[in-house]
Structures are given as structure tokens and as C-alpha cells.
């Protein structure tokens, strides 16, 4: 039996898919090369904006053709859209045989048996079940041999007024320290060198179990064999001086942080209920720069939140100019049902959103051009993650992709390299030495 998983959305979803693959492997399933040869197709969905919702429906339209050739093939939908829509989605898409959310992933084997017996197997819970923690014990099947995502918490207790995540992923639940360390040790034994801690609001890890996030950083970095540690996503509100100090103290922590700004105007930040104002965000950036030498930043921006004026938008551009992010993920505001912002007055017109987005991208392009030039001829440490056609690819500690010519045997090595050609989104390097 073969499976095919199509994953949409964030890294949390990607890591969930790695877990689903672990469960499927334990059931004797093997990965299919394409959906056409699968006996089970799973769509792990995202619903953060309207676009990902639409993508799911169009993929379902395509995948349903499999039933013509192979009537026993099963199609399943899981993840955030499944959680948000529940039965309604099953109703809208009769082709779906099984459906579950991130709360029920461990029930996959039962759901498959039910679907094979001809029932529609739908398990969407309102609340996380008591035995949800079981999921941590499933071995995962991973694509990347050297860099691994480790989910350390689920859900989110913030109430950003635009966001569906608290609805789709529930309240904040931190994973226990020992369980995390156990997974990290196993990963390292299997050859992993970079650990990427994941959570919707990872800097809030531990708040619900009485532990500070920096403790997790120290303990993970201490595991012998861990070369690099990253974490996503940090919330500016939870970004304390103690975390910044830990980041500076721990040599394994990479000099990069993704710190979503969302908007630069204090009024809009207030309407979003982000819990900080522009100046506070800039102070956090400054604090991180002081503790972590050479740190780079990336961010998320929402353009055209309800009532956003030209002046408000200028404040966002001002932060971009001042911080000089290495990467900006920008999104047009997308009204999500059942969120407070959905029914706010003053929704911004689509053409205004598009026009502001274009200006934001233009500005960021020029900033990135300058940043790219500043890498030229510098020496960087790379962890070489993949190999194709005589080229090795790796990331700098500051999270920029770079490639260099070399032997496949260098895969998984940490090397020192000189940047010979630096462009906006790629860099060519020359090998100087293999460090470890
Ligand atoms: N509309 C547009 N962007 C959104 N995001 C979250 N919700 C919405 C929405 N309703 C963006 C935020 C978040 C990122 C993952 O997606 O910028 O940080
Ligand atoms: Fe999308 Fe959020 Fe779900 Fe991730 S958690 S898949 S970003 S809705």
C-alpha cells in the first residue's frame, strides 16, 4: 500500500506531515512517487488565508480522478481547514473518505480501517483529547537528514484579531522538556545536526508548565552533537531580555530570528491586539542586536488590515527601512470567518491592498539588494544540507541559502566558505575549510 501526502501552510504542518508519515510507515504503508499511484492521498491543509482554502478544493478536484482508476483508493483531509470547517467540508466535498484534525492525528489507523470498511471516517474534535500526547512518541519520517523540525508546543493563547490559529490549533500546550530532549537525542543519533524548534508562539513555551523558554534553549543546545539551534515563531511580546541573553550565550543558536511585526502603526497594532507598539518592537530588535552579534531578522507583515490608512501603512514601511529585514513575508489581509477582525468596519479595498503590497515589495527589493552586496567576499559558516548536480546547498547561520561546488561526501558537514557572488535570493561560495 502506498500513500501520498500534500502539505500546505506553515512548518508546523510540515512537521505534522512528517509525523503522519511515521504513523503510516508503522502501518506498512510506503511513500508513492505521485498521487496517481497512491492508495491513500492525504491533504494536510492550511486555512490561515482564503487562498490556501481555495487551493485545497482545486487539489481535491484533481485527486478525485484517482477513484476512476482505483475505486478502493482513499482521500483524506486533515489539518487546519479540516478543523475549522468540520462536517461542512465533508458535505462540500463528497469525494473525501476520511477527515481529522491535528488533535486526532494519532487516530489515523482507526480512521483508515473505518474508511476501508466503507464508512466516512470523520473525527474532528472541539478540544484536544486527553491522550493527545501520544503523538509525540511516533517516530517521524523526514526529508532532510541534517536539519530537523521539532514541535515543542501546540496552539496559541494570543488573540490576534485576524487569526484563525487559536481556533484551529487550540490553546497553548507546551511539550514536556524530557520528551523534547529525547527526540533531539534520537535525531542527533540519526545524523541530524541542526534542530529547529517549532511552535505557533514558541517564545511562550513553558508558560503553561512553569518553565522559561531559555531553559529549553540551554538544554537542547547541551545535547551532544547538536551543532545548530533555531526556533520559529517568536512573538515580540514574549521576547525577553533573558531569551536574548541566552541566544547570545549559547554558541549553537544561530544568528537569526523570525519576529513577526504585522504592522508598524500603533493604532493598527492595537486593533490587531498584538500587545506591543512600534517603539517596543524596535527596542526588542535593538536588544537582540546588542546580545546577539550579527543577528539578522525576518518578519511577517499584513497589508490592508481594516481601517489601515496611508499614514498607517507608511509606519510599516518605516519599520522596514529601520530594521532592514533579510526577508519579509507579506500578506494582504484576508478576512477569516469567526475572527474579530472579520466584522470590523472599514475593510480596505482590494486595489488599495494590491497597490500597498507593490510598494512594500519594491522597498524590500532595494533593501535586499543592499544586504546581498554586504555579503560579497565575506566568510560564512554553512551547514551543507543537500546535493544536486555537483553543487552543495546550505544555509548560513544568518539563514541565507548558499551553494558551493564540491563532493557529495561533504553533505552534512559544517564548512567555512567565502562568498563569491551574492544575489538577492542566492549566493555562490567557495570552500575554505571543513570545520566539523
Ligand atoms: N490575513 C492575512 N495574513 C494573515 N496572517 C495570519 N492571519 C492572516 C489573515 N487573516 C499572516 C500573519 C502571520 C502569518 C503566518 O500569516 O502575518 O504571521
Ligand atoms: Fe496555516 Fe496556521 Fe494552520 Fe499553519 S497553523 S497550517 S499557518 S492555519
Amino acid at each position: 500500500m502506498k500513500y501520498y501526502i500534500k502539505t500546505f501552510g506553515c512548518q508546523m504542518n510540515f512537521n505534522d506531515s512528517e509525523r503522519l508519515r511515521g504513523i503510516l510507515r508503522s502501518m506498512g504503508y510506503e511513500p508513492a512517487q505521485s498521487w496517481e499511484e497512491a492508495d491513500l492521498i492525504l491533504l494536510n491543509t492550511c486555512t490561515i488565508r482564503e487562498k490556501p482554502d481555495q487551493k485545497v478544493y482545486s487539489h481535491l478536484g484533481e485527486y478525485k480522478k484517482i477513484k476512476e482508476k482505483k475505486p478502493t483508493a482513499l482521500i483524506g483531509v486533515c489539518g487546519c481547514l479540516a478543523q475549522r470547517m468540520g462536517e461542512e467540508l465533508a458535505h462540500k466535498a463528497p469525494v473525501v473518505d476520511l477527515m481529522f484534525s491535528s488533535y486526532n492525528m494519532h487516530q489515523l489507523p482507526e480512521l483508515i480501517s473505518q474508511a476501508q470498511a466503507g464508512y466516512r471516517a470523520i473525527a474532528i474534535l472541539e478540544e484536544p483529547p486527553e491522550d493527545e500526547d501520544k503523538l509525540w512518541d511516533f517516530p517521524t519520517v523526514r526529508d532532510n537528514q541534517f536539519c530537523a523540525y521539532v514541535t515543542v508546543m501546540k496552539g496559541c493563547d494570543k488573540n490576534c484579531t485576524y487569526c484563525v490559529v487559536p481556533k484551529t490549533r487550540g490553546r497553548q500546550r507546551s511539550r514536556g522538556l524530557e520528551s523534547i530532549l529525547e527526540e533531539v537525542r534520537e535525531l542527533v543519533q540519526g545524523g541530524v545536526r541542526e534542530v529547529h524548534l517549532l511552535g505557533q508562539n514558541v517564545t511562550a513555551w513553558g508558560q503553561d508548565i512553569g518553565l522559561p523558554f531559555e531553559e529549553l534553549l540551554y538544554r537542547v543546545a547541551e545535547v551532544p552533537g547538536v551543532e545548530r539551534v533555531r526556533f520559529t515563531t517568536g512573538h515580540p511580546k514574549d521576547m525577553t531580555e533573558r531569551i536574548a541573553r541566552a541566544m547570545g550565550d549559547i554558541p549553537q543558536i544561530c544568528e537569526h530570528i523570525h519576529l513577526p511585526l504585522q504592522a508598524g502603526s500603533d493604532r493598527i497594532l492595537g486593533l490587531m491586539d498584538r500587545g506591543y507598539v512600534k517603539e517596543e518592537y524596535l527596542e526588542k530588535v535593538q536588544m537582540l542586536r546588542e546580545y546577539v552579534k550579527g543577528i539578522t531578522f525576518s518578519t511577517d507583515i499584513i497589508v490592508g488590515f481594516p481601517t489601515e490608512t496611508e499614514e498607517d501603512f507608511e509606519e510599516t514601511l518605516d519599520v522596514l527601512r529601520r530594521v532592514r529585514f533579510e526577508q519579509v513575508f507579506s500578506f494582504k489581509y484576508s478576512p477569516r470567518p469567526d475572527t474579530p477582525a472579520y466584522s470590523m468596519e472599514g475593510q480596505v479595498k482590494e486595489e488599495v491592498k494590491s497597490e500597498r503590497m507593490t510598494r512594500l515589495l519594491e522597498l524590500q527589493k532595494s533593501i535586499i539588494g543592499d544586504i546581498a552586496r554586504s555579503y560579497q567576499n565575506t566568510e560564512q559558516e554553512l551547514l551543507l544540507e543537500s546535493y544536486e548536480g555537483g553543487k552543495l546547498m546550505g544555509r548560513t547561520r544568518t539563514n541565507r541559502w548558499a551553494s558551493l561546488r564540491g563532493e557529495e561526501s561533504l553533505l552534512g558537514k559544517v564548512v567555512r566558505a567565502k562568498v563569491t557572488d551574492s544575489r538577492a535570493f542566492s549566493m555562490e561560495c567557495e570552500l575554505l575549510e571543513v570545520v566539523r
Side-chain angles (χ1 to χ4, degrees), residues 196 202-203 213 217 229-240 243-244 247 253-261 281 284-289 292 294-300 323-329 397-399:
H196 197 142
V202 77
T203 34
F213 176 61
L217 293 180
V229 179
R230 299 182 194 271
F231 58 86
T232 322
T233 300
H235 193 293
K237 203 172 149 188
D238 300 314
M239 189 23 100
T240 59
I243 298 178
M247 289 177 73
I253 300 214
C254 291
E255 291 79 18
H256 168 258
I257 188 166
H258 183 70
L259 203 59
L261 167 69
Y281 183 91
K284 303 260 165 158
V285 167
Q286 189 49 35
M287 174 182 80
L288 283 158
R289 286 201 160 123
V292 191
I295 190 169
T296 62
F297 294 84
S298 56
T299 200
D300 290 344
V323 177
R324 306 182 69 72
F325 297 101
E326 298 237 336
Q327 238 180 329
V328 174
F329 300 90
R397 293 180 61 97
T398 55
N399 210 35

Side-chain angles (χ1 to χ4, degrees), residues 48-49 162-164 258 260 262 300-302 329 331-336:
I48 195 128
R49 287 170 293 275
Y162 50 80
C163 189
V164 286
H258 183 70
Q262 311 299 5
D300 290 344
I301 301 284
I302 296 178
F329 300 90
F331 312 100
K332 288 188 213 167
Y333 169 69
S334 168
R336 305 314 286 136

Side-chain angles (χ1 to χ4, degrees), residues 23 35 60 63 128 166 168 278 306 310 369 376 416 433-434:
I23 298 174
W35 62 269
L60 277 174
Y63 295 160
T168 59
K278 175 179 160 189
E310 194 48 37
Q376 187 71 29
R416 225 162 40 81
E433 65 164 337
V434 178

